[in-house]
Amino acid sequence: MGHAGFFTIIRPANSFVAGFAAIVAYRIANGTLVYDGILLMAIVTLITAAGNVINDYYDAAIDAINRPGRPIPSGAVSRNAALVYAGLLFFLGILLAGFTSLLCLAIALFNTILLVAYAARLKSTPFFGNVTVSYLAASIFLFGGALAGVNRVPDMLPLVAITFLAMLARELLKDAEDIDGDSAGGADTLPIRIGVRKTALLAFVFAVAAVAASVIPSLWWGAYYLGAIALVDIVIALAAFRALGCTDPGCVKSTGSTSLLKIGMFASLVVFTLSAVLL
């Protein structure tokens, strides 16, 4: 086993983006960037990384079919080492959360429990597992608002809704792509139950809802934000639209919808960042 596997398994790009999103959330809620924002980024990055590792620990058999190149099935990291590694990352994240506020600490603890429960049980629960991971992504904005003060949390709800709905659309399409491996691993996902076509339609509905929710921040960020987010909305809507009509996992993969949705969500974070700083 090499050290590179322990870096890869945390999915550093995803973990860093999650941490960066926390700083953006704090900037939006508080209007400033102080050392608390850096602390917030560290907490979210660590807990997100831990969640990625524990997810790979529980998904080793499924990943051996769907994603054999990942660190555990490829042999770069052993399952036991991954379990210890995840525990260490969770501990460090929660420890740092103890230096913030009581509400932030509560969210960090709750999300840690939810991340473990998701990896161990909830992932194989039709739709509820998708809702769980979508909440976890959206809760980064709650976390940022909570650090700025309880009274700032409601201001973050539109961004929470946008992230939650777009992530839910992507998670459903990812499950549609992974039917073969999930079936072999004993997972019971929504696409397995209702089929790829209906899942793709549901994902499109959530993507459109995310687009609708993205208009709300224009009430305080104005026309410049609306113009920028409209471009992102086109990407998100198009991504989900491309999977409509698919009836098998191969078709969903060939559309590139999940990758396009990921690009759209990253672009929305860029728009949120620029709006928070400039508008």
Side-chain angles (χ1 to χ4, degrees), residues 219-231:
L219 295 175
W220 54 85
W221 279 332
Y224 288 112
Y225 161 80
L226 193 60
I229 203 66
L231 298 175

Side-chain angles (χ1 to χ4, degrees), residues 120-153:
R121 299 283 183 183
L122 298 178
K123 186 178 187 295
S124 59
T125 305
F127 191 61
F128 188 69
N130 304 120
V131 169
T132 300
V133 76
S134 300
Y135 154 76
L136 286 165
S139 69
I140 293 170
F141 289 99
L142 285 179
F143 200 51
L147 186 60
V150 178
N151 62 316
R152 304 298 303 181
V153 172

Side-chain angles (χ1 to χ4, degrees), residues 2-277:
H3 297 301
F6 288 94
F7 182 69
T8 305
I9 199 171
I10 68 171
R11 298 174 207 170
N14 289 353
S15 298
F16 175 78
V17 168
F20 180 74
I23 284 188
V24 173
Y26 184 67
R27 175 65 175 80
I28 293 169
N30 197 49
T32 60
L33 276 179
V34 295
Y35 78 94
D36 285 344
I38 305 302
L39 181 61
L40 193 72
M41 180 178 182
I43 294 165
V44 172
T45 300
L46 285 166
I47 292 179
T48 301
N52 289 334
V53 177
I54 200 68
N55 190 65
D56 278 13
Y57 170 82
Y58 281 105
D59 277 2
I62 293 175
D63 284 344
I65 298 169
N66 287 336
R67 298 173 178 86
R70 280 191 173 172
I72 293 177
S74 70
V77 178
S78 72
R79 285 192 80 222
N80 287 339
L83 184 61
V84 173
Y85 190 34
L88 177 62
L89 291 169
F90 276 131
F91 173 76
L92 291 173
I94 292 170
L95 182 66
L96 289 180
F99 292 95
T100 56
S101 68
L102 191 58
L103 181 56
C104 281
L105 178 60
I107 294 173
L109 286 168
F110 177 74
N111 283 11
T112 293
I113 293 169
L114 200 56
L115 278 163
V116 176
Y118 170 77
R121 299 283 183 183
L122 298 178
K123 186 178 187 295
S124 59
T125 305
F127 191 61
F128 188 69
N130 304 120
V131 169
T132 300
V133 76
S134 300
Y135 154 76
L136 286 165
S139 69
I140 293 170
F141 289 99
L142 285 179
F143 200 51
L147 186 60
V150 178
N151 62 316
R152 304 298 303 181
V153 172
D155 297 340
M156 309 306 295
L157 294 182
L159 303 184
V160 170
I162 296 163
T163 306
F164 175 82
L165 292 165
M167 179 63 77
L168 189 52
R170 183 170 186 267
E171 284 298 308
L172 289 172
L173 291 176
K174 279 174 62 182
D175 276 358
E177 289 181 344
D178 292 344
I179 282 180
D180 294 337
D182 288 340
S183 297
D188 183 16
T189 64
L190 192 66
I192 291 174
R193 286 202 175 189
I194 69 173
V196 171
R197 184 187 292 272
K198 289 181 180 178
T199 301
L201 178 59
L202 189 59
F204 180 71
V205 170
F206 285 123
V208 170
V211 168
S214 73
V215 176
I216 298 173
S218 67
L219 295 175
W220 54 85
W221 279 332
Y224 288 112
Y225 161 80
L226 193 60
I229 203 66
L231 298 175
V232 176
D233 287 342
I234 291 171
V235 174
I236 291 174
L238 177 62
F241 178 79
R242 291 177 68 171
L244 285 178
C246 282
T247 58
D248 62 84
C251 174
V252 179
K253 288 180 182 178
S254 69
T255 64
S257 291
T258 56
S259 296
L260 201 55
L261 273 168
K262 188 173 184 178
I263 291 170
M265 293 180 69
F266 180 76
S268 69
L269 180 59
V270 172
V271 173
F272 296 157
T273 304
L274 293 177
S275 299
V277 173

